[in-house]
Amino acid sequence: TELAAAIAESYGMEIMNVLTGFKYIGEKMTEFANTGNHTYLIGFEESYGYLVGDHARDKDGVVASMLIAEMAAYYKTKGKSLYEALQDIYKKYGYYAEKTVSVTMPGKGGMEKMSSMLVDLRENPPVKIGGMNVVLYTDYQSQTIKDARGGVSPLKGLPKANVLKYNLSDDKSYFMIRPSGTEPKIKIYLGTFADNMSSAETTIETILESVKERLNA
């Protein structure tokens, strides 16, 4: 979720994006320890899991559970539940919504179909999704970021991966596409934020339907 970035920015803290997997978070922790240029505080990934502190290099549910209990105890002294505290965060930073959808392509030709989809997306990237223009197109494989005017800049700080990301013209919404390396399955990641959760979720669904139509999935 980009909500974490908004919160970090409000406190003058830096947040770094890495590929999914705690091994990439662990690499950053080791880098910080060796260089002394940052202090690691917390890491988390899309597929769930948190690591607070540098005692481990993998997700730590024990510490995460402790922190949730601590949060619950703190907000109880304020007369609030965790749900109410979350609503306060949304009111302050915006109502962020995310969704991950897996599209399975079964049968003998599933992998071939998925491969041809990725080729088509790279050769003919979408220019409009969900009624919005695509303003940035990032290809993690070629390590390039292309804008709507044809400008190209390098993607820095991340290893190559078969991932495509598209930022939309509302300056709030994006979607990403990543094929499975072992199954005939494509994952679609979507995110946005709005003034209320209903609007954010409606935008997510609109983008998803448009992406599925583009993929013919």
Side-chain angles (χ1 to χ4, degrees):
T1 174
E2 293 300 315
L3 174 56
I7 294 172
E9 182 180 358
S10 75
Y11 285 96
M13 298 170 61
E14 184 176 1
I15 190 166
M16 296 181 178
N17 289 318
V18 298
L19 298 181
T20 298
F22 274 85
K23 67 177 182 179
Y24 297 108
I25 296 172
E27 286 175 358
K28 286 296 181 185
M29 295 167 69
T30 301
E31 175 192 324
F32 298 164
N34 291 337
T35 64
N37 57 6
H38 292 86
T39 299
Y40 174 84
L41 292 177
I42 180 173
F44 62 95
E45 66 176 357
E46 175 274 334
S47 57
Y48 304 116
Y50 299 86
L51 177 57
V52 181
D54 58 4
H55 58 282
R57 292 294 187 272
D58 202 353
K59 64 189 74 174
D60 186 344
V62 175
V63 171
S65 299
M66 179 197 71
L67 289 173
I68 291 171
E70 187 176 359
M71 283 190 285
Y74 170 80
Y75 283 111
K76 185 176 182 180
T77 67
K78 305 295 182 182
K80 293 182 180 181
S81 66
L82 286 178
Y83 177 81
E84 290 168 331
L86 178 61
Q87 297 309 305
D88 288 343
I89 290 173
Y90 283 143
K91 290 173 185 176
K92 182 175 180 179
Y93 297 100
Y95 288 80
Y96 284 73
E98 295 81 24
K99 189 168 188 173
T100 302
V101 176
S102 293
V103 180
T104 302
M105 298 165 192
K108 184 178 179 181
M111 293 296 284
E112 288 85 353
K113 181 180 179 182
M114 186 173 69
S115 179
S116 65
M117 277 185 176
L118 269 292
V119 170
D120 180 57
L121 285 169
R122 284 188 163 96
E123 294 180 349
N124 306 288
V127 296
K128 189 179 284 290
I129 290 289
M132 293 179 280
N133 294 327
V134 175
V135 293
L136 281 180
Y137 159 50
T138 303
D139 187 340
Y140 289 65
Q141 191 71 52
S142 65
Q143 298 277 285
T144 56
I145 305 171
K146 300 179 181 179
D147 62 37
R149 294 170 300 207
V152 181
S153 58
L155 175 64
K156 299 179 181 179
L158 289 170
K160 290 185 178 181
N162 196 7
V163 178
L164 302 172
K165 182 177 181 179
Y166 305 87
N167 292 81
L168 304 180
S169 54
D170 65 350
D171 292 328
K172 301 176 180 179
S173 306
Y174 68 89
F175 68 95
M176 302 176 73
I177 295 176
R178 178 178 71 85
S180 169
T182 57
E183 302 175 273
K185 180 188 297 184
I186 281 183
K187 272 193 167 184
I188 305 170
Y189 305 85
L190 310 105
T192 192
F193 67 94
D195 293 333
N196 59 78
M197 188 56 76
S198 178
S199 295
E201 291 175 345
T202 297
T203 298
I204 288 284
E205 293 304 320
T206 299
I207 295 170
L208 176 60
E209 289 307 310
S210 186
V211 171
K212 283 185 174 182
E213 184 178 343
R214 174 63 172 79
L215 295 176
N216 192 25

